[in-house]
Amino acid sequence: MGKAQKKKAMRRHNPMRVPDNHLPPGLSAAAETSQKKDQIPPILQKMESADPAERKWACVAVSNIIQNDPSTRRLLQGKDVVGILITRLSDSEEEVVVEAAGALRNLCIDGGHELCGEMYNKNVLAPLKAFIPKIAQTLSQYLENPKSAPENAQKVVYELADSVITMFWCLSETSSKALNTINQASLVPFLMSFLVQRKKLPLSAVASAAQCLYVLTEDNPPAAEELRTNGSYTSALLSIAQGQLASDDIRGMALKVLSAGILWNISPLPPLTAASAVDIGGEIVLPLMPPLLTSISLPETSQQIQTLVEKQASLPQMESLSLNHTPKSEDKTPLELDLERFENRLRTIQLGLEILTSVCATLPDSEISPENDVADEAEEAEEDADGEEDTDDQMATDETPAASQPNLSRFAFLIPTILSLIEPTHLSFPPPGSPSIHPPITSALGSIHLCALECLNNLFLSLATSHRYITDAERAQGMTIWNSLWTVLQKAGDLRSAAITKEQRLFWETAIGVLWGVSIVFKGIILPEEDQVRLLVSLSEAYTGIDQMKVKLVGTLECLAQHPLSIDANRVIASYLVSLLPTGTVDRTSVESTLQVTSALIDIYSDETVPYDINFRENDILGKLIDAVEPIRKLVRGINKKKPGGIELKRRGEETRDNLVDFIKYRRGLRL
């Protein structure tokens, strides 16, 4: 069986908050759907005004007109609003600077990675880095003696710092280049000062600093090492993570979860520090999860949000902006504040699931950056040349302490809750071409569903690689979990439909990985149903040429085929797998799935005493495997070890080839 990989940490915590993919590409489509396009020219004109009041008005106006409006945001991007606002960060008037930073912050959050990439390319980090010493000095003055601090101290500390830190957070997730540039700014002491002084500062700025630290310390050794070696920093984080909360303090909960996530990112902690004796996963992260993940019902929340949005739509709308009546950037109606609270709660749950996903993984994330992949490959090549080849199982044993291997009983209490969080609501997946009634909520719901699926993916693949015995109680859970997954998938749309959205497709593809992990753990326990097998075969055929997905589908079918009493399902699956064996010309785009198919047939029929082995004999599967030996040898010889992942793929190919030859000898020797 091919190596099942856990979900790697990725800098993707900040997806597009207000998606625009329901719009056709181009500015013309945005102009047709934007109801505020006529307001854009005066805003851009006043952005360059000699009057600072007009420049400030224009910056505030940008924040206001992009709210939940991807069409207008796209039009503003087309007019280089990003470049103009970056110029305003050097404005002579401080209030203009603060509002320009706020507008860029909102664009960053709403627009996601594409917009952040544009900001990075236009060198927004230069002015942002220049703000750090100024904010730090003002913060220090304000904390030491508020009365002696500059008159605008609160505005600089509260608003500008929040905006600048949030932009650092978003940009650090954009690309490795942006992250490396941010690493050079040595942000850790600056950000930790907010957490250390949290009781004297607004929670919004402290939470932004914690969010930025969480992202910076994930799979990023420079920042993680700087933080983990400072005992006062880790003590402060531990104090926050273990602190008590009011019953409904969602912002305080978010800060606790972020602190737990930072501690997890930088663990193990150095000896002799206050936090080093604490089991971060078991004593900090896991206890936080039940109250957090059960704090909300997604169906009920979706209904409440729909009611709020309908109320908001019934209120009179501001027809146009005017210099005298533009609301302040921080002004929000009670309904908007209610919606924001719901979104904050959903994003906190998403964050908790991200951290839990990492805890559920058996193998620790590598600290090798993508830039060092070549060196890693070279090291593996040297080991390969010396004949020091490790199998997947050996590598898992070498890298993973037995104590760190998760078991189902440790996480069993969370599985029903996580399963409930993958179930789509009526707001999760708007129909193709239709905008959501509230894009930020839809984005948050979609992120929760995906994070919950990735969490289950890591949990079950970790269990699969740990090779631990499944207890009777856990075996009983197998079919329940399996059936729950299929119930959810039925609500997520038909993957084979031409009308399926990109978000629904991603949901399905992530869920297929979970199906594979669950089927491995409960191999021989899950009863394969005819319609499920038929659908998996159909999807596998549809993913021809997309090897990674085909491997997951073939792997799932392989496990279902090993239910001892399901002879008919075994026959259907085996017939399909045999049809995928190479017979002549080797398809180089399907190397991994071909190896998976070969390995699957070997695993399925490795025990000639099971009832379904009759299918092996009656359908001459041995003969078909014999015919496949030479094509598979050619396939393995053609694997390029110089390509990324090539060494591991070559090793797996050679192992599969040798196993096939040995299997044929074994089955021939049985003379059945």
Side-chain angles (χ1 to χ4, degrees):
M1 183 176 69
K3 188 174 181 180
Q5 291 285 0
K6 70 183 180 67
K7 184 73 175 178
K8 285 290 291 178
M10 298 179 70
R11 322 210 77 78
R12 296 184 182 272
H13 309 287
N14 185 35
M16 190 176 289
R17 178 175 175 266
V18 185
D20 63 357
N21 52 13
H22 62 280
L23 299 172
L27 294 176
S28 58
E32 290 176 6
T33 54
S34 172
Q35 298 178 355
K36 304 171 188 173
K37 57 180 179 290
D38 294 336
Q39 299 176 27
I40 292 177
I43 290 174
L44 297 180
Q45 182 181 6
K46 287 181 170 59
M47 197 81 74
E48 308 286 352
S49 170
D51 184 351
E54 292 193 345
R55 298 198 300 274
K56 176 187 175 184
W57 174 89
C59 294
V60 175
V62 169
S63 291
N64 286 320
I65 70 170
I66 66 167
Q67 286 186 30
N68 296 341
D69 191 341
S71 301
T72 303
R73 186 185 69 233
R74 189 189 289 182
L75 287 177
L76 279 166
Q77 280 184 262
K79 299 293 184 181
D80 191 30
V81 72
V82 169
I84 296 169
L85 285 169
I86 290 174
T87 302
R88 293 277 70 83
L89 292 179
S90 304
D91 200 279
S92 57
E93 291 290 328
E94 197 152 58
E95 289 195 354
V96 175
V97 172
V98 171
E99 297 299 347
L104 284 168
R105 169 194 181 275
N106 292 342
L107 284 166
C108 238
I109 292 175
D110 281 8
H113 291 90
E114 180 184 346
L115 206 147
C116 290
E118 181 185 349
M119 289 188 186
Y120 173 75
N121 291 334
K122 291 180 177 176
N123 201 27
V124 72
L125 284 175
L128 293 187
K129 288 193 289 186
F131 286 135
I132 298 302
K134 177 181 179 181
I135 295 172
Q137 181 180 6
T138 306
L139 177 64
S140 178
Q141 285 181 266
Y142 180 76
L143 292 173
E144 286 179 11
N145 189 350
K147 293 182 179 179
S148 68
E151 193 174 319
N152 63 348
Q154 284 198 17
K155 194 171 188 67
V156 171
V157 172
Y158 292 8
E159 295 182 38
L160 182 61
D162 193 358
S163 296
V164 169
I165 291 169
T166 301
M167 281 190 275
F168 275 122
W169 149 34
C170 294
L171 288 162
S172 66
E173 297 175 326
T174 302
S175 67
S176 295
K177 288 183 179 178
L179 180 63
N180 290 337
T181 304
I182 290 170
N183 279 339
Q184 295 168 14
S186 296
L187 285 180
V188 169
F190 171 70
L191 296 171
M192 277 304 305
S193 66
F194 284 84
L195 273 69
V196 170
Q197 301 288 347
R198 60 191 177 279
K199 294 181 180 178
K200 301 179 181 179
L201 295 171
L203 187 54
S204 60
V206 177
S208 295
Q211 178 71 68
C212 193
L213 278 168
Y214 170 66
V215 173
L216 284 176
T217 54
E218 183 184 41
D219 200 22
N220 181 31
E225 190 64 20
E226 185 176 3
L227 202 156
R228 70 189 294 270
T229 54
N230 189 310
S232 63
Y233 291 170
T234 54
S235 294
L237 290 167
L238 191 62
S239 175
I240 297 171
Q242 294 179 323
Q244 296 296 315
L245 290 175
S247 59
D248 195 36
D249 183 5
I250 188 60
R251 295 175 74 185
M253 172 61 85
L255 185 59
K256 277 173 66 75
V257 174
L258 283 166
S259 298
I262 297 166
L263 287 168
W264 177 256
N265 286 345
I266 64 175
S267 60
L269 299 174
L272 305 180
T273 59
S276 62
V278 178
D279 174 6
I280 303 300
E283 297 179 40
I284 302 296
V285 176
L286 285 182
L288 277 174
M289 293 301 117
L292 172 64
L293 301 185
T294 60
S295 66
I296 200 167
S297 162
L298 295 189
E300 289 179 12
T301 298
S302 296
Q303 191 56 55
Q304 290 170 324
I305 288 165
Q306 175 147 356
T307 302
L308 288 173
V309 171
E310 289 170 354
K311 285 183 181 178
Q312 190 178 42
S314 67
L315 297 176
Q317 302 295 308
M318 182 176 65
E319 293 297 325
S320 61
L321 298 170
S322 72
L323 189 58
N324 294 327
H325 298 98
T326 301
K328 296 179 181 179
S329 57
E330 66 270 20
D331 283 350
K332 290 176 182 172
T333 67
L335 286 175
E336 287 172 336
L337 289 172
D338 285 341
L339 287 167
E340 187 178 87
R341 279 191 284 270
F342 273 119
E343 184 186 356
N344 289 339
R345 189 177 292 275
L346 291 173
R347 291 296 183 189
T348 304
I349 290 172
Q350 174 196 343
L351 173 67
L353 287 167
E354 284 179 9
I355 298 167
L356 186 59
T357 297
S358 184
V359 174
C360 285
T362 296
L363 300 180
D365 286 330
S366 170
E367 292 190 351
I368 298 175
S369 65
E371 290 80 356
N372 290 331
D373 282 348
V374 176
D376 185 45
E377 292 282 349
E379 184 178 337
E380 286 187 80
E382 185 177 341
E383 291 176 0
D384 189 59
D386 292 339
E388 297 177 359
E389 296 187 359
D390 291 329
T391 65
D392 294 340
D393 292 346
Q394 287 172 330
M395 286 191 292
T397 302
D398 291 343
E399 294 179 14
T400 310
S404 71
Q405 293 185 0
N407 56 69
L408 192 56
S409 60
R410 187 182 186 192
F411 295 89
F413 70 101
L414 286 174
I415 289 177
T417 301
I418 299 173
L419 284 170
S420 72
L421 294 174
I422 69 176
E423 188 165 349
T425 75
H426 69 286
L427 296 183
S428 300
F429 299 123
S434 301
S436 165
I437 63 168
H438 196 277
I441 294 295
T442 290
S443 172
L445 287 169
S447 296
I448 285 175
H449 300 326
L450 284 178
C451 286
L453 284 168
E454 288 168 358
C455 184
L456 290 172
N457 178 77
N458 273 9
L459 172 57
F460 286 104
L461 290 184
S462 294
L463 289 166
T465 55
S466 69
H467 303 294
R468 58 180 294 279
Y469 177 75
I470 300 295
T471 67
D472 290 342
E474 291 169 350
R475 289 167 67 90
Q477 281 187 286
M479 280 305 299
T480 301
I481 295 168
W482 179 260
N483 291 334
S484 297
L485 286 169
W486 281 99
T487 299
V488 166
L489 284 171
Q490 289 171 356
K491 297 181 180 180
D494 187 346
L495 182 55
R496 298 162 296 179
S497 168
I500 197 167
T501 64
K502 181 178 72 174
E503 290 77 14
Q504 287 170 300
R505 179 173 297 278
L506 181 58
F507 180 96
W508 259 95
E509 291 177 350
T510 308
I512 287 169
V514 181
L515 290 175
W516 187 19
V518 173
S519 68
I520 296 172
V521 173
F522 299 106
K523 186 187 299 182
I525 300 170
I526 294 173
L527 183 69
E529 295 186 9
E530 183 181 348
D531 57 340
Q532 293 173 359
V533 171
R534 192 184 308 116
L535 177 57
L536 291 170
V537 169
S538 173
L539 292 176
S540 177
E541 291 173 340
Y543 276 102
T544 297
I546 307 177
D547 226 23
Q548 189 177 25
M549 286 303 304
K550 200 171 188 73
V551 165
K552 295 177 183 179
L553 289 158
V554 167
T556 306
L557 288 166
E558 167 195 343
C559 296
L560 293 181
Q562 295 181 60
H563 187 272
L565 303 179
S566 298
I567 297 174
D568 289 340
N570 176 276
R571 183 185 304 111
V572 171
I573 294 170
S575 174
Y576 173 64
L577 295 180
V578 165
S579 74
L580 298 178
L581 287 171
T583 55
T585 304
V586 179
D587 182 2
R588 294 291 169 192
T589 65
S590 60
V591 175
E592 289 191 67
S593 58
T594 300
L595 295 177
Q596 184 74 35
V597 165
T598 308
S599 177
L601 287 167
I602 294 170
D603 286 350
I604 293 169
Y605 295 110
S606 61
D607 181 359
E608 69 280 4
T609 66
V610 291
Y612 60 69
D613 193 69
I614 190 173
N615 295 326
F616 184 84
R617 302 189 298 272
E618 290 186 348
N619 295 286
D620 188 28
I621 293 177
L622 179 61
K624 294 177 175 68
L625 287 172
I626 292 171
D627 293 340
V629 170
E630 192 53 37
I632 287 173
R633 279 178 173 152
K634 291 179 181 178
L635 186 77
V636 174
R637 279 199 300 268
I639 296 174
N640 187 348
K641 294 170 70 172
K642 294 182 180 179
K643 289 185 176 180
I647 291 174
E648 175 58 30
L649 184 59
K650 184 84 168 182
R651 183 180 298 157
R652 198 184 325 152
E654 291 169 347
E655 181 182 356
T656 302
R657 174 202 63 202
D658 294 344
N659 286 344
L660 175 61
V661 172
D662 291 342
F663 177 75
I664 290 171
K665 289 179 182 177
Y666 171 74
R667 291 297 309 209
R668 274 177 164 169
L670 292 175
R671 300 186 183 279
L672 295 176

